[in-house]
Amino acid sequence: MKFRVERDALADAVAWTAKSLPSRPSVPVLAGVMLRVTDGVLQVSGFDYEVSSQVSVEVQGDSDGAALVSGRLLAEITKALPAKPVDIAAVGPHLELVCGSARFTLPTMPVEDYPSLPDMPASAGTVDAAAFAAAVSQVAIAAGRDETLPMMTGVRLELTGSTLAMLATDRYRLAMREIEWSPEDPDISINALVPAKTLNDTAKTLGPLGGQVTLALAHGGAGEGMIGFAGGTRRTTSRLLDGANYPPVRSLFPASHNAQARVSVSALQEVTRRVALVAERTTPILLSFSEDGLVVEAGGTEEARASEAMDATFTGEALTIGFNPQYLLDGLNGLNAPTAVLSFVDAFKPAVLSPASEDGEIITGYRYLIMPIRVTR
């Protein structure tokens, strides 16, 4: 194998592939990235039996072939290279990399020991890349991090006709986003539970590329239990989590509310961050709503306290409700709108955050539910 490639294209391809490699691989070859040149096209691949990544890069190929090298080491090297073309050649048990006057020799691993990447499932449809990336970022933040509850670490995709819904919850908050997409089958009705980290990393990569992202999902038969995403020259597959017993979380959104507040997103973010400085890690901040506006307060150890008043438009009976400050900030960050609408049943039931335009009109499509923390005053 011997080829020449632009440094930026190589660095981007290797960095993206290496990001999904396991930090503690079960066998050494899984820490590697596969470089394979065929007819002037370099394919950079990574696979850990759960997630596969593959990206194609056009190169000046002198001879076809393949080599398997440490992914993280190659990523660090290519990122540090000078902005010049890179010449790469497989020589015996080594890979030689030359860029300007810089020269590296890396040991290779046996290509024949590397597992074959899974095939992409059949295409289920396409979605706008930027809209997809924005929706995933809004929802994935609410997914759980506790690996002992694997079901909660996923984002549930509900593909129903031309609507693609995403839901995630860690049992303390719930995020839901609905966007339009173009299904291959207009009568499609499939649900899939995708690991949130994989989905988020994939969306962050494919979103800036623009164009369309292809969602590939098996309808039974070959490839079932897997999902694939393809955009530009990149493709990713991931195993699905077992979502058979995923709770009916949509029913958690209250059908009606007894009180509602409208407040500036940026102002509430700033006030929450300031007031939360005195709050302990497990201590909530208190939001007191009335006709006069909103007062945000918190108490910490050794009688440290903070409070700040701010403007808010409120309708309903005055109430005081406690939230985990980070969960509240996560919800506000996901609104992507100038105004937040907070809807309440009472101080002990979940509140719902919705985005609104500057004139206060609620923007449909995204909702963030947050559980209150009971407080005694």
Side-chain angles (χ1 to χ4, degrees):
M1 182 185 72
K2 188 176 182 183
F3 63 92
R4 168 172 282 202
V5 60
E6 290 300 317
R7 175 256 188 186
D8 288 350
L10 177 66
D12 286 348
V14 174
W16 179 66
T17 306
K19 188 191 294 186
S20 60
L21 295 177
S23 53
R24 295 186 182 88
S26 54
V27 288
V29 291
L30 297 184
V33 293
M34 178 72 77
L35 308 177
R36 188 180 297 276
V37 175
T38 310
D39 298 329
V41 175
L42 167 66
Q43 283 192 333
V44 184
S45 311
F47 184 38
D48 67 354
Y49 288 113
E50 294 193 358
V51 178
S52 79
S53 306
Q54 189 176 80
V55 57
S56 301
V57 180
E58 290 190 2
V59 300
Q60 298 173 24
D62 289 346
S63 61
D64 294 352
L68 182 65
V69 294
S70 166
R72 298 197 189 282
L73 180 58
L74 186 62
E76 289 176 5
I77 290 171
T78 53
K79 183 173 67 175
L81 291 174
K84 295 179 180 179
V86 184
D87 290 298
I88 294 179
V91 182
H94 294 93
L95 188 76
E96 292 190 354
L97 186 151
V98 179
C99 181
S101 58
R103 177 183 293 271
F104 293 86
T105 301
L106 306 179
T108 58
M109 293 178 272
V111 170
E112 59 274 12
D113 290 351
Y114 199 69
S116 299
L117 266 65
D119 294 328
M120 285 277 279
S123 169
T126 59
V127 61
D128 179 77
F132 175 69
V136 171
S137 69
Q138 288 178 302
V139 173
I141 192 69
R145 310 282 194 276
D146 185 355
E147 295 295 337
T148 63
L149 294 169
M151 189 189 305
M152 295 299 171
T153 65
V155 173
R156 179 176 166 92
L157 303 187
E158 297 180 350
L159 314 176
T160 311
S162 61
T163 301
L164 166 57
M166 305 181 191
L167 300 102
T169 181
D170 60 3
R171 299 179 300 160
Y172 304 105
R173 65 262 182 81
L174 163 64
M176 184 177 81
R177 179 77 163 97
E178 292 181 338
I179 58 175
E180 293 288 306
W181 77 307
S182 303
E184 301 275 349
D185 175 6
D187 298 321
I188 192 171
S189 179
I190 310 179
N191 300 326
L193 192 59
V194 188
K197 183 181 183 306
T198 302
L199 183 64
N200 203 24
D201 288 346
T202 301
K204 279 181 184 174
T205 303
L206 299 182
L209 299 178
Q212 299 286 309
V213 172
T214 298
L215 269 62
L217 200 59
H219 296 244
E224 189 162 24
M226 265 184 31
I227 190 168
F229 304 93
T233 59
R234 302 185 180 199
R235 49 155 276 193
T236 294
T237 65
S238 171
R239 68 172 180 89
L240 295 175
L241 297 169
D242 181 5
N245 298 316
Y246 198 78
V249 291
R250 280 177 181 264
S251 62
L252 295 175
F253 288 105
S256 60
H257 59 268
N258 298 324
Q260 199 169 65
R262 281 170 168 76
V263 62
S264 162
V265 169
S266 57
L268 183 53
Q269 286 173 320
E270 288 178 18
V271 170
T272 298
R273 288 192 187 100
R274 274 196 292 270
V275 170
L277 292 173
V278 300
E280 290 289 286
R281 192 158 169 262
T282 56
T283 305
I285 60 167
L286 301 182
L287 280 66
S288 298
F289 292 93
S290 67
E291 291 180 357
D292 298 329
L294 167 62
V295 176
V296 183
E297 54 187 321
T301 55
E302 299 176 4
E303 299 181 357
R305 300 199 66 80
S307 69
E308 187 167 344
M310 59 179 293
D311 292 334
T313 305
F314 182 71
T315 55
E317 290 285 323
L319 70 88
T320 296
I321 191 167
F323 293 130
N324 175 308
Q326 189 56 55
Y327 291 175
L328 178 60
L329 287 170
D330 288 343
L332 293 169
N333 289 339
L335 293 180
N336 294 339
T339 303
V341 176
L342 291 86
S343 304
F344 309 99
V345 176
D346 59 42
F348 307 108
K349 292 200 170 62
V352 178
L353 274 67
S354 305
S357 57
E358 289 185 5
D359 59 8
E361 284 294 309
I362 290 179
I363 301 167
T364 59
Y366 180 64
R367 287 185 289 172
Y368 181 91
L369 179 144
I370 178 170
M371 299 292 288
I373 299 175
R374 287 177 180 261
V375 288
T376 54
R377 305 188 65 182

